[in-house]
Amino acid sequence: MSVASPGALSSPYVELDRSDWARLRDHHPLDLSAADVARLSGIADPVDLEEVEEVYLPLSRLLTFYVSAFTRLHRVTSTFLGEHPPKAPFVIGVAGSVAVGKSTTARILRELMLRWPDTPHVELITTDGFLLPNAELERRGLLQRKGFPESYDRRALLRFLSAVKSGQPEVAAPVYSHLTYDIVPDEQVVVRQPEVLIVEGLNVLQPPGAHADGRTGMAVSDFFDFSVYVDAGISDIREWYVERFLRLRETSFADPQSYFHRYAELTDQQARARALQIWTTINEPNLVENVLPTRSRATLVLRKGSDHQVARVRLRKL
């Protein structure tokens, strides 16, 4: 655990190495098998039972405390106001770069929380569904900036989160296909009053924007009760992105329906060159300009080493 020197500016975070963090599990039960972990892991994103035990179980234990406190606060506030509103869900944001493993983190958290006795209903939504359709991105000249903040229907995402947070019985979200690289027309996923909602995406921790009249708008993170940023060195993430691209060439890219089917026949050298070009022109600029600057807004930061394993954890103090 890092300790500030006398006279140093106090940090709003406590930072722990993996061994210190792992001890905070404190016998929190592990209900996942090796097969479960393999099912939840992403392509080129290795996670094993040891990492679940040492990283995600302590986080799961911490979240039990947060959810319990949130439930009590909601009850006390409702009593004070003399109201009986629907129970609001506890909302967790998961942010980080392309290829850093945030989707795997979100899936593992959901799976662990589903096994809690008090949260049998946990939903996971990715902000990919709120990307503008390719035709609209092309019309606006934004197709090569897919994943940048301006490529999302931010208003629709805010409306969705507001409706879920207010306890509406059913709230629908668009569906995104990574095969066709586009929104699926006339298809929706419906969220029905979950106890916990996990929202995963590149830009979910962005601060609110300012209107022309100087007023500050709403931010997606305004609806979060806890947030996780999955972090790693840019050079490591770049290599993981290239590795994932090479593997996708043999899996989903091989499907004739895939938007990226043209890459399926590339040689290793050609595929690596193309992946690096995409990373350098799109993903890294988005990371540096838009994603990485939001790291300090997270409640908790999971810092990965070059082996893709979480090495350090940084937790914001209350």
Side-chain angles (χ1 to χ4, degrees), residues 41-46 99 240-241 243-245 247 308:
S41 298
I43 292 177
D45 182 20
W240 300 339
Y241 176 78
E243 181 183 349
R244 188 177 73 174
F245 189 95
R247 293 196 185 184
H308 224 303

Side-chain angles (χ1 to χ4, degrees), residues 270-282:
Q270 290 170 333
R272 176 171 285 274
R274 180 58 178 143
L276 284 171
Q277 181 188 26
I278 295 171
W279 172 263
T280 303
T281 58
I282 300 174

Side-chain angles (χ1 to χ4, degrees), residues 66-193:
Y66 269 80
V67 173
S68 178
F70 168 82
T71 301
R72 290 195 301 270
L73 180 61
H74 184 267
R75 188 183 306 121
V76 167
T77 304
S78 299
T79 300
F80 173 75
L81 294 173
E83 298 177 345
H84 301 283
K87 184 178 178 181
F90 186 87
V91 181
I92 302 169
V94 179
S97 171
V98 168
V100 79
K102 64 184 179 300
S103 297
T104 297
T105 293
R107 288 192 295 265
I108 290 175
L109 282 180
R110 178 176 186 266
E111 203 74 16
L112 288 171
M113 298 178 82
L114 278 171
R115 287 161 166 75
W116 296 358
D118 298 327
T119 57
H121 188 187
V122 183
E123 295 280 5
L124 169 59
I125 289 289
T126 72
T127 58
D128 290 344
F130 293 92
L131 283 162
L132 294 167
N134 284 353
E136 179 62 19
L137 289 173
E138 195 161 9
R139 188 186 72 80
R140 300 187 188 187
L142 294 174
L143 194 56
Q144 296 306 309
R145 290 180 67 81
K146 198 165 190 176
F148 283 69
E150 62 268 28
S151 66
Y152 292 87
D153 187 342
R154 185 171 169 274
R155 288 185 179 180
L157 177 55
L158 289 171
R159 286 195 298 268
F160 169 83
L161 289 171
S162 178
V164 174
K165 196 69 170 172
S166 66
Q168 289 192 19
E170 292 188 349
V171 187
V175 173
Y176 183 83
S177 169
H178 287 276
L179 183 68
T180 63
Y181 193 60
D182 204 354
I183 300 298
V184 181
D186 303 319
E187 190 170 331
Q188 295 179 320
V189 58
V190 178
V191 173
R192 297 180 174 87
Q193 293 184 311

